[in-house]
Amino acid sequence: MTVEETPVTVLGLGAMGRALAAALLGNGHKTTVWNRTAGRAEGLDATVARSAGEAVEASPLVVVCLLNHDTVHQVLDPVGDSLAGRTVVNLTNGTPAQAREMASWVGERGGRFLDGGIMAVPPMIGTPAGLILYSGVRQAFEEHEPALAHLATARYLGEDPGDAARYDLALLSAMYGMFGGFFHGAALVDSAKASLPTFAELVAPWINAMTASLPRMAESLASGDHAASFSSVQMQATGYANLIDASRDQGVSTLLVEPMGSLLDRGVAAGLGTGGLSALIELLYART
Ligand SMILES: NC(=O)c1ccc[n+]([C@@H]2O[C@H](COP(=O)([O-])OP(=O)(O)OC[C@H]3O[C@@H](n4cnc5c(N)ncnc54)[C@H](OP(=O)(O)O)[C@@H]3O)[C@@H](O)[C@H]2O)c1
């Protein structure tokens, strides 16, 4: 006997919503979809609801993937009475405060809420390479984990609905830092008519090698022990000035690299020069 998959509704058929709906359909879920602009379900073998309310009422599990928090309210507010007894999984990017607000709002209407952070691009959805972080009502996650696992690898972080958004944004911060560094490096190479393919060949292994130090830095932050084993802040602040100077020499904007240079200089001025780089994290916020 085959196990019947949970019927799922998907609200929002942008690039990500379509990928989510396709993954559910591909795994045998009866999938009902709704999108503000008609016609976005073309090519999906889904049931197309005439309204958001009709879509919500079609399934016990409602996945929302819209542009931002405001649009989620615009779509859900008129259908709030239909949420009782259902689980709402909001995969729309947002802040921890927005996730907590939405959790209360859904809870007040008798629904269960999970917030999700998608750590994937659409082609990774429906594959284990995609990761979606969840937080909120544990029982709802456990009950719907089989369906959520069809979207991507599903990782539950805890009952605080804000956690998925917090970790999502923290991971995006690391990603954009990497892209910003890559953009600047590419500009530095290309503005000198040096070889971009050579840069591309060298950069990924270098970044991969450097990511090995991240868990150790997190440990240093947790313990407060920032002793430098081999690369002091002073040494790095000195070398970093060359990065700024070479950029200026070549007419490359220092917009992306100046903040890190300032932080290194602040670290030296604060007496952290002999310590390791992780000490600089403590200059970003008041640690309690
Ligand atoms: N794409 C990615 O690589 C990616 C990766 C991770 C997370 N995400 C997150 O996933 C969410 C959706 O991203 P996406 O790539 O699918 O974006 P998208 O292609 O721009 O789609 C946006 C969706 O929001 C809907 N929408 C916008 N304003 C609306 C409104 N006022 N009322 C009702 N619906 C409205 C759009 O409907 P219409 O078709 O009617 O405009 C569409 O369904 C975002 O929060 C994004 O940050 C995306």
Side-chain angles (χ1 to χ4, degrees):
M1 196 179 80
T2 52
V3 180
E4 193 142 318
E5 303 294 352
T6 307
V8 186
T9 285
V10 178
L11 300 178
L13 293 176
M16 187 53 83
R18 271 186 67 91
L20 297 168
L24 292 163
L25 287 161
N27 282 284
H29 293 268
K30 179 182 180 303
T31 305
T32 303
V33 297
W34 174 85
N35 191 66
R36 176 183 62 172
T37 305
R40 297 273 198 263
E42 215 165 287
L44 290 173
D45 193 19
T47 303
V48 182
R50 283 166 299 183
S51 66
E54 187 179 293
V56 166
E57 285 172 14
S59 316
L61 179 59
V62 178
V63 173
V64 185
C65 191
L66 297 166
L67 189 61
N68 60 19
H69 184 69
D70 286 350
T71 60
V72 175
H73 265 303
Q74 279 169 27
V75 170
L76 289 186
D77 284 3
V79 303
D81 290 345
S82 300
L83 297 180
R86 298 181 207 283
T87 294
V88 176
V89 178
N90 186 19
L91 300 182
T92 306
N93 185 269
T95 68
Q98 288 169 346
R100 284 197 295 273
E101 185 278 330
M102 191 54 73
S104 304
W105 187 85
V106 171
E108 284 159 14
R109 280 149 190 82
R112 296 183 303 182
F113 182 77
L114 287 168
D115 197 60
I118 304 177
M119 310 319 301
V121 291
M124 292 159 78
I125 296 299
T127 78
L131 168 68
I132 304 185
L133 306 171
Y134 295 96
S135 59
V137 180
R138 179 182 296 275
Q139 199 193 11
F141 177 79
E142 287 172 354
E143 197 175 304
H144 291 299
E145 190 174 1
L148 299 177
H150 287 150
L151 300 177
T153 298
R155 167 102 183 249
Y156 178 73
L157 295 169
E159 294 269 357
D160 177 349
D163 267 344
R166 185 173 298 108
Y167 282 91
D168 180 351
L169 295 175
L171 292 175
L172 288 179
S173 164
M175 179 191 81
Y176 282 117
M178 176 194 71
F179 284 140
F182 172 81
F183 293 168
H184 188 85
L188 208 52
V189 168
D190 196 44
S191 62
K193 302 272 182 281
S195 161
L196 280 173
T198 301
F199 177 60
E201 178 200 329
L202 295 171
V203 70
W206 168 243
I207 292 297
N208 280 339
M210 288 301 98
T211 58
S213 66
L214 300 182
R216 202 171 56 243
M217 284 197 181
E219 275 170 31
S220 296
L221 183 60
S223 69
D225 176 6
H226 298 291
S229 44
F230 35 74
S231 305
S232 72
V233 167
Q234 176 66 65
M235 175 280 289
Q236 298 195 63
T238 306
Y240 203 92
N242 295 328
L243 202 168
I244 302 278
D245 289 346
S247 304
R248 289 193 179 127
D249 287 349
Q250 288 180 209
V252 173
S253 165
T254 53
L255 176 78
L256 286 168
V257 288
E258 268 179 48
M260 191 66 193
S262 301
L263 192 66
L264 282 158
D265 292 343
R266 275 176 56 205
V268 173
L272 303 172
T274 57
L277 206 58
S278 58
L280 301 182
I281 304 170
E282 297 203 28
L283 297 179
L284 297 177
Y285 66 113
R287 191 144 193 260
T288 49

